[in-house]
Amino acid sequence: MSALGKLQKLTHVMFILALLVLCLLMILFPAETWQAGVRGLAIWWDVLFPSLFPFLVLSELLIGFGIVHFLGTLLNPLMRPLFRVPGSGGFVFAVSCASGYPTGAKLTAQLWEQKLVTREEGERLVAFTTSSDPIFMIGAVSVGFFHNVAIAPVLVASHYAAAFIVGLLMRFHGRGTDHSNKHSISESKVYPSSPNHIRKNKLKLAIESMHQARMADGRAFGELLRQAISSSLRLIIIVGGLVVFFSVIMELLVQTGWLGVLYQWTELGLVHAGLPPALSQSLVGGLFEVTLGAKEAGAAGASIPLIYKAAAAAFVLSWGGLSVHAQIMSILSNTPMRYGPFLLARVIHALIAPILVLLLWAPMMGAMDLPAFAPNIPNFNPFIYTPHWGTIVVTGLVTLGIVTLLLLICSLIISLFSNRHVKR
């Protein structure tokens, strides 16, 4: 047997042993297991379902009607030179900002199925479109966990600015290999760039692309809606199952005390970095699950400066937690896109976001260093966050519109500048 075969066999055995140990711990801690499962289910129902499901359905409808091709044609002058992805990647980025992870991976997988991206382009796109949504950062983290809405602008700005930087860095991924992917069709068929098309009105070209995509799809509205709801429900159920699963694992690790070693290692690293060691619980918790890590950051000791707590929350939000990683892996498993580039992007994002919090704190917050728990919010439960579904959906739609409009304006400016440069 080869070395690779032995390694695979050993991995298989270790995986089975881990599952058996997990089953044993669930038997030993039945009450804690049940409570952790209920908490995970509450997070899924109260936050993830309303923030993901409507946008998953909406995005599939927009793809079916060719709106993505329309936006892709208009956004191609922006997305191609900056991130080395097609213009349709701008739509993926906007929806991801509105609804959070794992929407970016889901839409990227759909673009790959329609042969609109190559494997490397898809990996770049997933790398910087996997982000949290603003309602979670503002409502759950800033208000629910920190009890201080004033830190929301810093968290949002650092998170999305870091995602933008990750996109710029990941453009160097797969350089020189894009055209080797046989699954990808020629980009000129979707976003024509021949001289005749350049002279065409950009809006007219976008409308033609949308019409051709709609004709190629051919599904009636009823069938398109049925399939959009069906596929979105399958994904949202998978997401919910993974959230509950990792919530149970995290609780069992806490009950057995196995997290003590991770806490100690993290504390040592924080001490060497000159940071408060008490943030170790937030970082270790965020390693597994976003909500738990952000909650621990807000609940850290009052003696810890607020800036460091916000930086820890930014780290957790950008890393995403192993629960989100598992969601992305499940989505990418049906495509040739690899998990490795995504993991690298998460590490980079998680390192850049806290640094941006430290850099943006003074200009955005001034000398503010209020306690994590504001006294003007009495009897607020820091462990439960149940926003109104309508608030989540409306906020997501507003974010989608704003981000799309900004991308279109930037693309228009670049197009005008390029046309003037060509004329000269």
Side-chain angles (χ1 to χ4, degrees):
M1 182 181 296
S2 63
L4 180 60
K6 291 181 180 179
L7 179 61
Q8 291 177 343
K9 183 177 180 180
L10 178 61
T11 303
H12 183 69
V13 173
M14 294 297 293
F15 184 73
I16 293 176
L17 290 177
L19 291 178
L20 292 176
V21 171
L22 179 61
C23 292
L24 178 61
L25 292 177
M26 292 174 66
I27 295 174
L28 294 176
F29 301 98
E32 292 79 2
T33 299
W34 181 82
Q35 292 172 1
V38 171
R39 285 198 301 270
L41 189 61
I43 293 172
W44 173 74
W45 180 253
D46 292 331
V47 180
L48 297 180
F49 193 96
S51 64
L52 286 178
F53 181 72
F55 293 95
L56 290 174
V57 175
L58 177 63
S59 60
E60 293 215 23
L61 292 177
L62 293 178
I63 291 176
F65 278 103
I67 302 298
V68 174
H69 296 73
F70 174 83
L71 293 175
T73 304
L74 296 178
L75 294 177
N76 200 51
L78 171 68
M79 303 302 293
R80 174 57 61 186
L82 281 182
F83 307 111
R84 290 182 66 213
V85 297
S88 53
F91 170 78
V92 176
F93 179 74
V95 177
S96 179
C97 290
S99 59
Y101 21 64
T103 309
K106 170 64 175 177
L107 296 181
T108 302
Q110 289 181 288
L111 294 183
W112 183 85
E113 291 174 358
Q114 295 193 4
K115 302 182 180 180
L116 296 181
V117 295
T118 65
R119 183 184 71 174
E120 287 74 17
E121 288 170 345
E123 290 171 349
R124 295 188 205 113
L125 192 54
V126 173
F128 76 95
T129 59
T130 301
S131 59
S132 181
D133 59 284
I135 190 63
F136 180 76
M137 288 187 282
I138 297 172
V141 179
S142 302
V143 176
F145 299 149
F146 279 80
H147 293 186
N148 190 346
V149 73
I151 70 169
V154 178
L155 286 178
V156 174
S158 62
H159 185 71
Y160 290 125
F164 182 82
I165 295 173
V166 169
L168 295 178
L169 294 176
M170 290 300 293
R171 75 184 306 277
F172 300 104
H173 164 67
R175 180 174 290 276
T177 61
D178 285 344
H179 301 291
S180 63
N181 193 325
K182 296 181 180 180
H183 186 84
S184 175
I185 62 174
S186 173
E187 184 181 349
S188 61
K189 294 181 181 179
V190 183
Y191 311 114
S193 57
S194 63
N196 292 333
H197 286 295
I198 292 177
R199 287 193 293 266
K200 273 189 175 183
N201 182 279
K202 201 70 167 177
L203 182 60
K204 182 178 179 181
L205 183 60
I207 294 175
E208 290 180 359
S209 299
M210 179 179 65
H211 177 70
Q212 293 173 3
R214 179 56 185 155
M215 292 298 99
D217 185 279
R219 289 175 292 176
F221 175 75
E223 178 64 16
L224 182 61
L225 180 62
R226 184 191 68 80
Q227 293 183 6
I229 294 176
S230 177
S231 62
S232 299
L233 279 176
R234 284 197 300 270
L235 176 60
I236 202 68
I237 290 174
I238 292 174
V239 169
L242 289 171
V243 169
V244 172
F245 179 72
F246 277 93
S247 178
V248 170
I249 289 180
M250 188 65 190
E251 180 63 27
L252 293 176
L253 290 175
V254 171
Q255 293 297 325
T256 56
W258 292 349
L259 286 181
V261 177
L262 282 178
Y263 286 143
Q264 293 175 1
W265 290 351
T266 306
E267 288 176 359
L268 288 175
L270 290 173
V271 169
H272 288 301
L275 300 174
L279 293 176
S280 61
Q281 291 189 356
S282 171
L283 301 182
V284 173
L287 176 67
F288 293 91
E289 214 282 314
V290 174
T291 306
L292 179 61
K295 182 190 71 176
E296 292 292 343
S303 61
I304 301 176
L306 185 59
I307 183 175
Y308 293 131
K309 296 180 183 180
F315 174 89
V316 170
L317 290 168
S318 301
W319 166 251
L322 294 181
S323 175
V324 171
H325 285 238
Q327 297 168 26
I328 302 299
M329 290 178 67
S330 67
I331 295 173
L332 299 184
S333 62
N334 296 322
T335 72
M337 289 180 280
R338 299 160 293 185
Y339 170 70
F342 170 79
L343 176 61
L344 175 62
R346 290 303 92 219
V347 172
I348 297 174
H349 198 172
L351 293 176
I352 294 177
I355 296 175
L356 290 179
V357 169
L358 300 178
L359 295 176
L360 296 174
W361 190 265
M364 296 187 68
M365 300 288 288
M368 178 181 180
D369 196 11
L370 298 178
F373 297 97
N376 60 342
I377 307 179
N379 300 323
F380 199 100
N381 190 341
F383 300 99
I384 300 176
Y385 174 68
T386 55
H388 191 272
W389 281 29
T391 302
I392 295 177
V393 175
V394 171
T395 303
L397 289 174
V398 171
T399 303
L400 176 61
I402 292 175
V403 175
T404 303
L405 180 61
L406 290 176
L407 291 176
L408 287 172
I409 293 174
C410 293
S411 182
L412 177 61
I413 294 174
I414 293 177
S415 297
L416 294 176
F417 179 79
S418 299
N419 290 339
R420 289 180 181 178
H421 182 72
V422 170
K423 289 179 180 180
R424 289 179 184 177

